[in-house]
């Protein structure tokens, strides 16, 4: 028994040390970023975060348009992709026929392996023209909304958000599907035993796995925040703080 307890303690300390490595890596990255940016922080201070002008020749560095564009496009993409990803996860985990589940899982995970530059090129040649046609077909009262306003050029915040949404769907849906599969079968069986329908049993499963599903959505949000190339190709390169569909930029 003493040997078993010593082994358990060794396992605990060993895995704890491995987990601590992640904390040290994050702290090292933060320290490096702070050290490399200290000159800019001392020179510009909070003006770096609040100003909109980015002119390296004149020595003006304002990050507000880039921060605004990143958060705006990422949140919009999350609003589009979140329900889709959760719906895909529910279908693959509970409703999909066995013969169809494997091909759909393969195709979903294949989307995650596509490089961002490919998404950007696809967005320019396929999605941007579709957004342009959509804007031209909308009624005037819809085109007056900030998201759809501006000239019908297609290169816009909406196109960039759609590209981002497609990119984050496979990440969020794959993690959410694994979370739903990890729900004990007793939860579903108890719901069916009480006379619940399939949809009611699914709601019980979703409630049980809500924390993991939220984590899956946040993982997709992190992918959206870190994306640059595909969004830049779909949104243009004109940094400006605005709620309009055009003339946005992200970094």
């Amino acid at each position: 028994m003493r040997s078993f307890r010593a082994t358990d303690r060794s396992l605990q300390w060993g895995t704890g040390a491995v987990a601590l490595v992640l904390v040290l890596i994050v702290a090292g990255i933060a320290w490096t970023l702070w050290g490399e940016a200290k000159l800019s922080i001392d020179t510009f201070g909070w003006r770096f975060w609040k100003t909109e002008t980015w002119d390296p020749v004149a020595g003006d560095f304002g990050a507000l348009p880039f921060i605004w564009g990143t958060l705006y496009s990422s949140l919009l993409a999350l609003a589009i992709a979140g329900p889709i990803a959760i719906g895909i996860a529910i279908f693959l985990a509970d409703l999909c026929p066995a013969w169809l589940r494997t091909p759909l899982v393969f195709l979903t995970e294949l989307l995650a392996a596509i490089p961002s530059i490919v998404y950007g090129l696809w967005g320019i040649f396929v999605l941007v023209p579709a957004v342009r046609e959509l804007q031209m077909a909308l009624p005037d009262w819809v085109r007056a909304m900030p998201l759809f306003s501006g000239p019908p050029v297609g290169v816009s915040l909406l196109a960039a958000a759609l590209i981002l949404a497609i990119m984050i769907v496979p990440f969020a849906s794959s993690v959410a599907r694994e979370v739903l599969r990890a729900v004990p079968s007793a939860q579903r069986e108890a719901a069916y035993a009480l006379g619940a329908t399939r949809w009611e049993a699914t709601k019980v499963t979703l409630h049980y796995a809500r924390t993991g599903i939220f984590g899956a959505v946040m993982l997709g949000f992190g992918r959206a925040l870190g994306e640059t190339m595909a969004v830049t190709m779909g949104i243009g390169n004109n940094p400006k703080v605005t709620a309009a569909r055009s003339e946005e930029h992200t970094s």
Side-chain angles (χ1 to χ4, degrees):
M1 292 298 296
R2 292 179 180 177
S3 177
F4 289 143
R5 291 173 182 173
T7 303
D8 289 343
R9 285 195 297 269
S10 300
L11 177 62
Q12 180 181 3
W13 284 103
T15 53
V18 173
L20 183 61
V21 171
L22 297 177
V23 179
L24 295 177
I25 291 175
V26 175
I29 293 174
W31 177 263
T32 301
L33 291 175
W34 174 263
E36 295 295 331
K38 194 173 187 307
L39 178 61
S40 300
I41 295 173
D42 294 338
T43 304
F44 302 103
W46 288 104
R47 186 165 58 89
F48 176 78
W49 306 96
K50 297 187 297 183
T51 56
E52 301 183 19
T53 303
W54 185 274
D55 189 358
V57 177
D60 293 330
F61 299 94
L64 183 59
F66 304 97
I67 298 173
W68 168 261
T70 298
L71 294 176
Y72 195 174
S73 59
S74 299
L75 290 173
L76 183 58
L78 186 66
I80 298 173
I84 297 175
I86 295 175
I88 293 174
I90 294 173
F91 179 74
L92 293 178
D94 293 332
L95 307 177
C96 184
W99 62 271
L100 186 60
R101 180 176 291 111
T102 300
L104 288 181
V105 170
F106 173 77
L107 290 176
T108 302
E109 295 178 352
L110 184 63
L111 288 175
I114 299 176
S116 59
I117 186 67
V118 176
Y119 277 110
L121 291 173
W122 178 82
I124 289 177
F125 292 108
V126 177
L127 197 57
V128 167
V131 172
R132 181 169 59 246
E133 296 296 330
L134 173 64
Q135 186 194 10
M136 296 176 63
L138 291 175
D140 294 337
W141 67 272
V142 177
R143 294 181 60 181
M145 300 173 62
L147 186 61
F148 301 98
S149 62
V153 295
V155 179
S156 61
L157 175 67
L158 180 59
L162 290 175
I163 296 173
L164 269 183
I166 296 173
M167 295 180 69
I168 67 179
V169 159
F171 290 90
S173 63
S174 296
V175 177
R177 174 174 56 87
E178 294 301 325
V179 170
L180 291 175
R181 290 182 59 187
V183 175
S185 58
Q187 294 289 326
R188 299 180 178 87
E189 294 172 357
Y192 287 131
L194 293 173
T197 62
R198 173 172 286 187
W199 167 238
E200 291 171 339
T202 300
K203 290 195 294 184
V204 171
T205 304
L206 290 175
H207 185 268
Y208 187 91
R210 62 188 183 279
T211 303
I213 294 175
F214 178 78
V217 174
M218 287 299 101
L219 179 64
F221 182 60
R223 170 68 190 273
L225 288 176
E227 184 51 51
T228 56
M229 183 58 66
V231 181
T232 302
M233 297 173 68
I235 210 169
N237 193 19
N238 183 19
K240 185 178 181 182
V241 178
T242 175
R245 62 180 296 276
S246 59
E247 296 182 345
E248 287 283 346
H249 183 77
T250 185
S251 68

